[in-house]
Amino acid sequence: MSMEVGNGTTVQEFTLEGFPAIQHLGKFLFLVHLLAYLASIVGNAVIVTITCADSRLHTPMYLFLSTFSFLECGVISAVIPKLLVIFLSGRQAISFPACFIQAFITVFLGATSFLLITVMSLDRYVAICKPLHYPTIMNLSTCSLLVTACFSLAFPLITGLVVKVSQLSFCGPHVIPHFFCDLGPLIHLSCSDTSSTEMLAFVLTSFILLTSLIITIIAYSNIVIMVLRLPSAKEKQKAFSTCSSHLLVLSLMYSSCVFIYVKPKQTNRLDSNREAALVNTVVTPLLNPVIYTLRNKQVHRALRETMCRMKISR
């Protein structure tokens, strides 16, 4: 749907294309992604709930993890329901305002997540490499300020970028070659000069992703060096098991987002961006609860006790 403006048209509604090549598997894909979505929501919601409910989990690490889980719930809830409708109907119309609201939520929460990952990697570095100083450096007050800083830094950067993209002219076509309103495909659809907008998007996303990636690599490199110095082979194996699980999720997140966003020309690889985006909207939100906390004995104990209290209260 479009509205006539002079000799051209202004798009009032976009259509999310989804995955036309495999749309014949729509009902099967709907079921798979619905189960993945529900599992991700439940897993991340459990982390947030038990962290709030159990005072023993009121520690810096679990504050960061519960905030991260909250962000994951927000991102997938902004994207996956629309994707499920696409699998059922083939294509999904989305209004201009709704499209940019979705773009803002996903990019803002995604940027905040990467800033938070940076803070989490520094937290683990201090805990493992500077254990005697950890209680002083990473107290709850400092951690709350760091979480607030992640949101406060991401908000103006992403708001400015999304507003700039929304002010571009969109005169058709109105089909977005993606399963959600991401900034790259939206910039590609614009009929105005997008060079400055593309450069701004490239600079901001590169700054957030690469800064976060570099700090995280430095932190985990120091952690690995510290682990190698442990005298016990059993301690080394346990530490490497935990680190390797964390690094698996981080590598998936960083590689997919760097592939999508860290390139000056957003018109390149738009088709393959869809597959890469599935990693951050389906795969990692499903893995995060398992790898970060649900394997943790302290979380298992807190979960069991919370469930027992619920049964007793009945």
Side-chain angles (χ1 to χ4, degrees):
M1 182 183 294
S2 59
M3 179 178 63
E4 292 291 333
V5 180
N7 294 326
T9 60
T10 300
V11 171
Q12 298 294 299
E13 186 180 77
F14 294 106
T15 300
L16 296 170
E17 187 178 51
F19 297 89
I22 54 174
Q23 187 55 44
H24 61 284
L25 301 173
K27 291 183 179 179
F28 171 74
L29 294 172
F30 168 82
L31 181 60
V32 170
H33 287 78
L34 176 62
L35 293 175
Y37 172 64
L38 294 176
S40 299
I41 288 292
V42 170
N44 285 290
V46 164
I47 292 171
V48 175
T49 302
I50 62 173
T51 301
C52 295
D54 195 314
S55 58
R56 289 168 301 183
L57 299 182
H58 293 174
T59 62
M61 182 178 76
Y62 288 105
L63 171 65
F64 294 140
L65 288 171
S66 61
T67 305
F68 187 70
S69 292
F70 170 78
L71 293 171
E72 291 283 75
C73 286
V75 171
I76 61 178
S77 294
V79 173
I80 301 301
K82 279 284 184 184
L83 177 59
L84 295 176
V85 175
I86 291 172
F87 283 138
L88 283 180
S89 65
R91 288 192 173 190
Q92 174 65 24
I94 184 169
S95 68
F96 188 94
C99 187
F100 278 92
I101 290 171
Q102 186 187 53
F104 171 77
I105 291 172
T106 53
V107 179
F108 167 59
L109 295 184
T112 306
S113 295
F114 278 103
L115 295 174
L116 187 62
I117 286 171
T118 309
V119 172
M120 290 165 66
S121 65
L122 293 175
D123 172 70
R124 291 298 85 206
Y125 163 75
V126 176
I128 295 172
C129 300
K130 310 284 183 182
L132 296 178
H133 300 286
Y134 184 77
T136 305
I137 297 172
M138 286 294 183
N139 54 64
L140 285 175
S141 177
T142 302
C143 294
S144 298
L145 286 174
L146 288 171
V147 170
T148 303
C150 291
F151 283 91
S152 300
L153 178 60
F155 184 80
L157 295 177
I158 301 306
T159 300
L161 176 58
V162 173
V163 168
K164 187 170 179 62
V165 175
S166 69
Q167 291 173 342
L168 295 172
S169 297
F170 296 93
C171 28
H174 64 279
V175 178
I176 299 175
H178 212 312
F179 60 89
F180 72 98
C181 291
D182 201 7
L183 295 181
L186 284 169
I187 293 172
H188 176 61
L189 286 183
S190 174
C191 53
S192 54
D193 181 13
T194 61
S195 54
S196 63
T197 307
E198 280 190 315
M199 186 52 63
L200 177 63
F202 171 70
V203 170
L204 289 181
T205 53
S206 298
F207 168 73
I208 293 171
L209 283 171
L210 296 182
T211 302
S212 174
L213 176 60
I214 290 168
I215 295 174
T216 301
I217 288 174
I218 293 171
Y220 271 93
S221 297
N222 281 279
I223 290 171
V224 169
I225 292 170
M226 180 60 67
V227 169
L228 289 173
R229 293 175 181 171
L230 293 173
S232 169
K234 187 176 181 180
E235 287 179 340
K236 286 182 182 179
Q237 184 180 6
K238 183 179 178 182
F240 275 122
S241 174
T242 303
C243 286
S244 61
S245 299
H246 292 183
L247 291 173
L248 171 64
V249 174
L250 292 180
S251 62
L252 287 172
M253 292 183 67
Y254 280 111
S255 59
S256 59
C257 283
V258 167
F259 176 84
I260 294 169
Y261 296 108
V262 183
K263 55 180 184 284
K265 283 291 182 181
Q266 290 291 329
T267 55
N268 297 334
R269 301 197 302 261
L270 282 177
D271 287 336
S272 52
N273 282 359
R274 280 180 277 201
E275 287 75 18
L278 279 175
V279 174
N280 283 327
T281 55
V282 178
V283 179
T284 56
L286 189 59
L287 292 177
N288 280 330
V290 177
I291 287 177
Y292 276 108
T293 50
L294 297 184
R295 293 173 57 190
N296 188 293
K297 292 180 180 178
Q298 191 175 4
V299 174
H300 285 170
R301 184 167 60 249
L303 184 58
R304 283 196 302 269
E305 291 178 2
T306 301
M307 292 177 69
C308 286
R309 285 197 297 268
M310 290 173 63
K311 289 179 181 179
I312 292 172
S313 63
R314 289 177 184 178

